[in-house]
Amino acid sequence: MNKILIGPASFGEINLDAKIKLEKHGFKLFKNDYGRKLTTQELFNILNDREIVGVIAGLEEYSKEIISTSNLKVISRLGSGMDNIDLNEAKRNGVSVFSTPDGPTDSVAELVIGMMISLSRKVWNMNSEMKSGIWNRSYGNLIKDKQVTLVGYGRIGKQVHNLLQSFGCKINIVDPNIKDSDIANKMDLEKALAVSDIISFHIDKNIEIINKENINTVKKGCIILNSSRGNIISEECIIYGIKNKIISCAWLDVFKTEPYKGKLSGLPEIVLTPHIGSLTIDARLKMEKESAENIINFFNKSF
């Protein structure tokens, strides 16, 4: 019997349909009982079991070493990004890789819009003050007519763009993969940093975008939203930006190390959420169903 590793510890929390479907097709499931993302060593130890030939992957790292020493035939990513999987090594070893690219789109995009408005209206600050017994009505800002820059223009970036258009924002797009002729409001990063009132990140690579070299070029009072990858702006840069009033406030849903327990927890200007961008019932059920079907379809075609 083929074994399938279920990488995300939360898989099946809402209902067991996807698990039941896999079991009905003859797969034995190996669950992640750690209650968190698997470490490299834990994943390596689990995949020493040669009967594990497939995996429904979360955010755990499928490195060259992990893939080359395992007996995996297929990786089905529960989500859209695949930067935690060495795709070249997977190809070299004949491992097929699938994802569920559409599942998180609406969930992340709606949350981004909600947080954009919440930060602009200083809801985060007034909520904290009222819970401390302070009645202090603070002026906020509309997002109408503001320069909103979307860094990354894939599925989620495009959906955020679609939702924002009804608010009357001036929307800029930063994405080197988009041709100038394909979109009227494309802008290079340096220019965008200097004019943006709000910057929201939507890239699928874990690379640093705002760093100590360009943080001082960011428009004073900018709002930062990161629902993309944890390395896009370092913890040190955010702290520097807040202390020097370059960044007025920020929302972070992703972190270099998760669960996050760092210095940003002590800054009232920073709203932190525990990687919940795609965490809606609707999106989760869709992604679990698709990730299970990727496994089933692969083996049905292979044998």
Side-chain angles (χ1 to χ4, degrees):
M1 179 182 288
N2 289 325
K3 289 184 182 179
I4 304 297
L5 168 63
I6 307 295
S10 58
F11 193 94
E13 277 185 346
I14 300 171
N15 69 44
L16 297 174
D17 288 355
K19 285 186 175 181
I20 291 171
K21 191 168 187 176
L22 285 165
E23 289 170 340
K24 281 184 176 179
H25 279 80
F27 297 104
K28 183 177 180 180
L29 306 185
F30 189 104
K31 298 186 296 181
N32 170 7
D33 291 325
Y34 288 93
R36 52 164 172 75
K37 183 176 79 172
L38 293 168
T39 67
T40 297
Q41 187 59 53
E42 289 163 352
L43 185 59
F44 182 81
N45 292 340
I46 291 169
L47 293 180
N48 271 336
D49 183 343
R50 306 301 290 177
E51 292 184 2
I52 297 178
V53 293
V55 58
I56 292 179
L59 293 170
E60 62 276 6
E61 297 289 330
Y62 291 86
S63 63
K64 178 179 180 179
E65 182 184 14
I66 291 290
I67 292 173
S68 63
T69 58
S70 74
N71 195 34
L72 289 177
K73 308 300 181 189
V74 58
I75 297 173
S76 179
R77 170 78 169 91
L78 184 74
S80 57
M82 294 197 288
D83 55 305
N84 61 318
I85 302 170
D86 189 327
L87 298 177
N88 291 328
E89 187 64 20
K91 186 176 180 179
R92 278 193 292 270
N93 285 267
V95 180
S96 294
V97 182
F98 303 93
S99 67
T100 59
D102 296 317
T105 301
D106 289 328
S107 293
V108 177
E110 286 188 12
L111 182 58
V112 168
I113 300 299
M115 293 307 303
M116 196 176 292
I117 295 171
S118 176
L119 292 175
S120 296
R121 296 298 298 271
K122 300 182 181 179
V123 173
W124 50 275
N125 189 36
M126 288 182 280
N127 173 64
S128 177
E129 289 179 340
M130 284 198 69
K131 288 182 176 180
S132 298
I134 301 169
W135 181 274
N136 180 28
R137 299 167 69 225
S138 298
Y139 282 99
N141 289 292
L142 297 175
I143 62 173
K144 181 181 180 181
D145 295 326
K146 298 299 184 293
Q147 294 267 5
V148 179
T149 293
L150 307 179
V151 181
Y153 202 59
R155 289 177 177 85
I156 294 172
K158 288 175 182 174
Q159 182 61 359
V160 173
H161 188 182
N162 291 338
L163 296 175
L164 277 177
Q165 290 187 85
S166 63
F167 289 93
C169 307
K170 299 174 182 176
I171 306 170
N172 309 311
I173 306 299
V174 175
D175 192 327
N177 298 314
I178 302 295
K179 296 179 182 178
D180 292 349
S181 58
D182 290 342
I183 191 164
N185 50 344
K186 184 182 175 185
M187 190 178 290
D188 62 47
L189 179 64
E190 290 72 22
K191 183 177 179 182
L193 294 180
V195 302
S196 299
D197 300 297
I198 300 170
I199 302 173
S200 186
F201 293 99
H202 302 286
I203 68 171
D204 60 1
K205 293 182 179 179
N206 215 356
I207 57 175
E208 196 172 68
I209 302 293
I210 297 183
N211 50 44
K212 60 184 180 182
E213 280 74 38
N214 61 19
I215 182 66
N216 287 301
T217 68
V218 174
K219 183 179 179 180
K220 292 276 187 178
C222 183
I223 293 173
I224 299 289
L225 303 102
N226 186 11
S227 58
S228 185
R229 295 291 185 271
N231 283 333
I232 285 175
I233 176 169
S234 71
E235 183 178 274
E236 292 74 20
C237 275
I238 296 175
I239 293 171
Y240 176 86
I242 291 292
K243 288 186 175 180
N244 290 275
K245 302 188 183 302
I246 299 168
I247 300 172
S248 64
C249 55
W251 165 59
L252 306 176
D253 188 46
V254 288
F255 307 89
K256 184 176 181 180
T257 301
E258 298 181 2
Y260 178 77
K261 297 179 181 179
K263 297 176 183 178
L264 298 177
S265 303
L267 294 179
E269 299 90 345
I270 309 294
V271 177
L272 307 176
T273 51
H275 206 140
I276 61 167
S278 64
L279 211 62
T280 61
I281 293 173
D282 319 70
R284 188 64 179 210
L285 291 178
K286 182 177 180 180
M287 289 191 294
E288 289 188 2
K289 177 177 180 288
E290 289 180 2
S291 64
E293 288 174 349
N294 286 339
I295 296 285
I296 293 165
N297 292 336
F298 170 80
F299 283 102
N300 283 344
K301 291 177 182 177
S302 299
F303 299 101

